[in-house]
Amino acid sequence: MDAGGGYNPRTVEEVFGDFKGRRAGMVKALTTEVEEFYHQCDPEKENLCLYGFPSEQWEVNLPAEEVPPELPEPALGINFARDGMQEKDWLSLVAVHSDAWLLSVAFYFGARFGFDKSDRKRLFNMINELPTIFEVVTGTTKKQAKEKSSVSNHSSSKSKSNSKRGSETQAKFSKAVQSKDEEDEGLEEEDEEEHGETLCGACGENYAADEFWICCDVCEKWFHGKCVKITPARAEHIKQYKCPSCSNKRARP
């Protein structure tokens, strides 16, 4: 298994693009396509690895036979722990090892093609702007977004309260209208701030105002409609939406 070893990105931008593609594939395996991933990780098989490809695809396969391999290899034997722990804990463990593998591949390319200190720093900063696979799988990114939104909304409420005190000389009717306007404005700001920090549970990308999103009523994670194949028209007929991961959860044999 060469994990796309025939493709050799040579610039910082190309290595980052390679990283994003592999990451997207592995995120799909651990979220929207988790049922298939779970099925392929049969503990009865030999040591298996989860590979991500620049094409945003993933594969569970045996490790490379050549020694040393052309690219760093991902964690070996992920299938053996599948039935020995809770599914969410097992997926989190695979996610952590996947994050480590992605970094090793990216900086392998950096070393191979002579990235200097500034190139390596720039590459790491670009990678660090994305949530880790572990954060996407465990929902940590959403928790962080909620905390940021809560702090921001608290500060906004305090400033609005102070402004109201300074307007006590205005007529009662004017104050009531102003208060309602501020409340409506605050709700709009809160919605914008909260969604601005929200990350898709499938691809990990940020919220954009012109995109359709849908929230899972079970795990409360948000998803791009295109990532979970839900259109606005279809969503109107869904009373309770369950994301692919929650839909596939059931008692394991």
Side-chain angles (χ1 to χ4, degrees):
M1 186 67 217
D2 65 1
Y7 168 66
N8 293 319
R10 295 174 180 270
T11 67
V12 172
E13 288 72 20
E14 287 177 344
V15 172
F16 179 61
D18 179 271
F19 176 93
K20 284 186 67 177
R22 295 178 190 275
R23 173 186 171 280
M26 300 178 95
V27 166
K28 282 196 292 187
L30 298 175
T31 55
T32 57
E33 299 176 12
V34 68
E35 182 72 9
E36 178 62 23
F37 171 68
Y38 186 96
H39 175 72
Q40 291 190 26
C41 290
D42 186 350
E44 298 300 321
K45 295 182 179 179
E46 297 182 41
N47 291 310
L48 294 175
C49 304
L50 171 61
Y51 293 90
F53 298 97
S55 61
E56 300 188 5
Q57 301 301 311
W58 61 273
E59 182 178 53
V60 172
N61 209 332
L62 296 170
E65 295 183 0
E66 59 180 319
V67 179
E70 185 176 352
L71 288 177
E73 284 289 302
L76 187 67
I78 57 172
N79 52 314
F80 295 146
R82 191 194 74 175
D83 294 344
M85 52 200 306
Q86 292 287 332
E87 181 180 342
K88 65 177 182 178
D89 295 331
W90 175 65
L91 292 174
S92 297
L93 178 65
V94 176
V96 168
H97 283 293
S98 298
D99 283 320
W101 179 68
L102 288 175
L103 285 172
S104 68
V105 171
F107 282 88
Y108 163 82
F109 284 130
R112 180 174 177 181
F113 296 111
F115 286 7
D116 59 21
K117 182 178 180 180
S118 62
D119 287 336
R120 293 193 300 272
K121 182 177 181 180
R122 188 155 63 93
L123 174 60
F124 178 78
N125 288 339
M126 293 169 75
I127 290 173
N128 205 37
E129 287 298 311
L130 294 174
T132 63
I133 297 178
F134 176 80
E135 289 172 337
V136 173
V137 170
T138 59
T140 305
T141 49
K142 186 180 180 189
K143 293 177 185 176
Q144 292 173 343
K146 280 189 174 181
E147 289 173 359
K148 290 180 181 177
S149 179
S150 176
V151 171
S152 177
N153 291 336
H154 178 66
S155 299
S156 178
S157 296
K158 287 181 65 178
S159 64
K160 288 173 182 173
S161 177
N162 291 336
S163 68
K164 287 180 184 178
R165 291 194 190 101
S167 63
E168 289 179 353
T169 57
Q170 296 181 3
K172 289 182 179 180
F173 178 76
S174 298
K175 287 173 65 178
V177 172
Q178 180 185 8
S179 177
K180 186 178 185 306
D181 290 343
E182 288 178 350
E183 181 180 349
D184 293 341
E185 179 184 349
L187 290 173
E188 292 176 0
E189 290 178 356
E190 179 180 348
D191 183 67
E192 183 177 348
E193 289 167 356
E194 180 176 352
H195 288 290
E197 296 289 348
T198 301
L199 298 170
C200 175
C203 69
E205 297 295 330
N206 288 322
Y207 168 84
D210 59 344
E211 293 179 311
F212 171 68
W213 281 54
I214 188 167
C215 180
C216 175
D217 291 311
V218 179
C219 65
E220 297 186 347
K221 291 181 181 178
W222 285 88
F223 298 86
H224 289 110
K226 62 182 180 182
C227 290
V228 291
K229 300 178 181 178
I230 298 291
T231 63
R234 184 180 174 188
E236 290 182 2
H237 301 285
I238 300 176
K239 293 183 178 179
Q240 184 182 45
Y241 174 68
K242 290 184 180 181
C243 68
S245 179
C246 292
S247 297
N248 291 328
K249 284 182 180 177
R250 61 172 182 265
R252 302 294 181 183

